[in-house]
Amino acid sequence: MTVLRSGSASDVGRVRSVNEDRALESLTLFAVADGMGGHAGGEVASRLAIDALQAEFARQPSAGGVVEAVRRANVAVWEQGHSDPEVRGMGTTLTVAALVVVDGGDRLVLANVGDSRAYRMRGGRLDQLTQDHSVAEELVERGELSAAEAAVHPHRHILTRALGVGPDVDVDTWELHPQQGDRYLLCSDGLTNEVSPDRITGVLERPGDPRRAAETLVRMANEHGGNDNVTVVIVDVVVGDPPADEPDSATAVAPIVGAGPVAAGANVAAGTFPGDTEALAVADPGPVTTAVAVAAAAPLVRPRAEQQPATPTRRVTIRTLVFVVLLVAIGFGVYSTVRWYVDNSYFVRLSGSELVVYQGRPAGFLWIKPKPVDRTGVTVSQVPQTFVPALRASVEEPSLAGAKRYVANLVAEQRSFVQSSGGAPPPPTTTTTTTTTTTTTGGG
Ligand code: MN
């Protein structure tokens, strides 16, 4: 028997005005969806996906049912995005964990499309279980980029797979053997872009209420900048099989439950990447109709190390003066550090229809507002439309040169897209009232 206990948190972040992420927590089904596209599209896409997932999984709570449910979710988003001009072009990521019975044993089935992620904490170690379907990640897999380079790569925001892009979609799936003490994390990229794996580990390794841990992670993402919506679902295995030596206990999780690469049209607008280069071994476990034998998740209270803050012993002495002097010195040090930090931060953001490079932090920092340092003259119609949501929110770069290079790469990307696809690029969301600055770089 396996008993799970979960908690979740979601927040709009510090930069955006709408939370397009959505979390799902039920007894045996957990998911995160990160919607994108257009005016209201992202919100609609993630909601449709989660609702369809839940409805289909309820009909068919099995390993195969998880994959089917993700496909239904895709169809739901695709059809709506097709028929309703208000939400045309919307899409969403979807990362799912479901407790099901396979051959009489409890299994956790993961399914993923897009760049939301699933991680597992086991034995004090955090392992990423899913692979991002992004341009940058595919370059890493092909050995053309290091993970560190990928983290700042200009294409890191482009997805190669998402729900709602075509009538069918490839779904990555894994079948895991849940063990007592395991802690699973599902999250949108709003967490992983802001908080390092080490810091995530630091939070997850402290036992306790999963909801508290989820809230802590969301707060950390916001403290780091909160440049995106952030959503976290944490699932603890409070009762389950004891930890055992098995192949599963390493990073290698048993891949792939009946998720054959079915779709041809699974690629996103970037279009330059073949959907799935890795051969997925398809081991369909067959229809599993057994009802899941999961007891209601009884709240299991683990001892939590509550720390009483030490009562400060106050002594007002002549040393107070020395202390004040020190404070002033420290204050000056802090001021200089903040100034340095802000002056060495850059980001690109849409200002009207123009891409502008700013110096400073996107949401400002303390009393310092970001200031425009380079009006690039590049308009929204000159860059791939998949970048527009990110550009609205702002894209951070480590230097002014890096920011300019990023903009140049976008323009090049759009040009090569137009050339290589042979088809028309996705329609611009803005009818650009082209200003005098629109550059026609002669001959390209
Ligand atoms: Mn996101």
Side-chain angles (χ1 to χ4, degrees):
M1 188 186 72
T2 303
V3 176
L4 305 177
R5 183 187 185 209
S6 67
S8 67
S10 184
D11 191 73
V12 67
R14 295 222 165 141
V15 173
R16 308 207 169 182
S17 54
V18 177
N19 190 353
E20 301 181 321
D21 283 2
R22 202 166 183 89
L24 169 67
E25 254 187 283
S26 70
L27 223 49
T28 57
L29 182 66
F30 309 89
V32 165
D34 178 350
M36 63 204 82
H39 180 54
E43 226 182 336
V44 175
S46 56
R47 179 168 45 75
L48 281 174
I50 292 284
D51 289 351
L53 173 82
Q54 196 169 14
E56 180 60 24
F57 182 75
R59 248 175 33 81
Q60 206 186 333
S62 64
V66 176
V67 179
E68 187 54 34
V70 175
R71 292 205 177 114
R72 290 293 176 95
N74 176 62
V75 169
V77 179
W78 162 249
E79 284 181 346
Q80 181 79 14
H82 228 52
S83 59
D84 180 356
E86 284 277 290
V87 293
R88 181 147 298 156
M90 68 178 172
T92 183
T93 72
L94 187 60
T95 302
V96 183
L99 186 65
V100 300
V101 173
V102 175
D103 297 334
D106 289 339
R107 294 288 181 273
L108 199 67
V109 170
L110 295 183
N112 182 54
V113 176
D115 69 348
S116 296
R117 291 180 180 172
Y119 290 85
R120 177 181 62 198
M121 270 300 279
R122 177 179 283 180
R125 208 177 102 173
L126 184 72
D127 287 314
Q128 184 180 334
L129 303 172
T130 51
Q131 279 160 344
D132 295 351
H133 300 134
S134 66
V135 170
E137 178 59 30
E138 300 212 0
L139 291 173
V140 171
E141 278 165 37
R142 294 193 300 186
E144 291 173 27
L145 270 191
S146 71
E149 288 166 331
V152 295
H153 193 272
H155 296 172
R156 66 188 180 276
H157 302 291
I158 303 188
L159 296 188
T160 51
R161 254 195 258 175
L163 296 194
V165 176
D168 206 345
V169 68
D170 284 351
V171 185
D172 287 354
T173 61
W174 297 261
E175 191 179 301
L176 311 176
H177 193 154
Q179 294 177 2
Q180 189 162 316
D182 282 354
R183 176 165 253 198
Y184 295 86
L185 164 71
L186 308 180
C187 60
S188 62
D189 66 336
L191 177 70
T192 48
N193 284 336
E194 305 284 5
V195 185
S196 70
D198 282 351
R199 299 185 66 210
I200 293 173
T201 305
V203 172
L204 294 182
E205 70 189 356
R206 292 198 295 268
D209 184 352
R211 190 169 58 87
R212 284 264 188 90
E215 285 166 354
T216 302
L217 288 173
V218 167
R219 196 180 61 238
M220 284 164 69
N222 277 334
E223 282 167 1
H224 187 267
N227 287 295
D228 193 0
N229 306 148
V230 53
T231 299
V232 172
V233 175
I234 293 172
V235 183
D236 289 344
V237 181
V238 293
V239 176
D241 292 341
D245 294 331
E246 54 170 305
D248 182 18
S249 60
T251 32
V253 292
I256 319 314
V257 190
V262 177
N267 296 331
V268 182
T272 39
F273 282 85
D276 208 1
T277 46
E278 78 230 62
L280 302 183
V282 179
D284 196 327
V288 184
T289 45
T290 330
V292 188
V294 181
L300 183 137
V301 182
R302 291 201 200 163
R304 188 170 46 232
E306 298 274 35
Q307 290 185 349
Q308 296 291 337
T311 325
T313 45
R314 263 188 225 146
R315 246 188 269 160
V316 184
T317 67
I318 191 83
R319 287 179 202 174
T320 309
L321 183 65
V322 178
F323 182 63
V324 166
V325 169
L326 266 176
L327 265 189
V328 169
I330 290 168
F332 183 76
V334 168
Y335 173 85
S336 314
T337 308
V338 164
R339 205 63 244 193
W340 180 89
Y341 169 65
V342 171
D343 288 350
N344 283 282
S345 303
Y346 294 88
F347 62 93
V348 182
R349 186 155 69 198
L350 274 178
S351 169
S353 64
E354 189 184 12
L355 276 66
V356 174
V357 180
Y358 292 85
Q359 185 180 38
R361 307 291 307 164
F365 190 79
L366 301 179
W367 68 95
I368 307 169
K369 301 254 184 307
K371 62 168 191 278
V373 291
D374 182 29
R375 303 204 162 266
T376 60
V378 173
T379 60
V380 71
S381 61
Q382 292 170 271
V383 303
Q385 291 308 299
T386 39
F387 285 86
V388 171
L391 286 167
R392 281 219 172 92
S394 67
V395 177
E396 289 183 58
E397 287 294 332
S399 66
L400 179 58
K404 288 179 167 175
R405 205 158 47 235
Y406 173 74
V407 173
N409 281 339
L410 287 183
V411 174
E413 172 79 8
Q414 172 72 343
R415 251 188 233 130
S416 69
F417 175 80
V418 173
Q419 283 160 7
S420 68
S421 69
T429 49
T430 324
T431 13
T432 328
T433 2
T434 316
T435 58
T436 47
T437 46
T438 314
T439 46
T440 330
T441 330

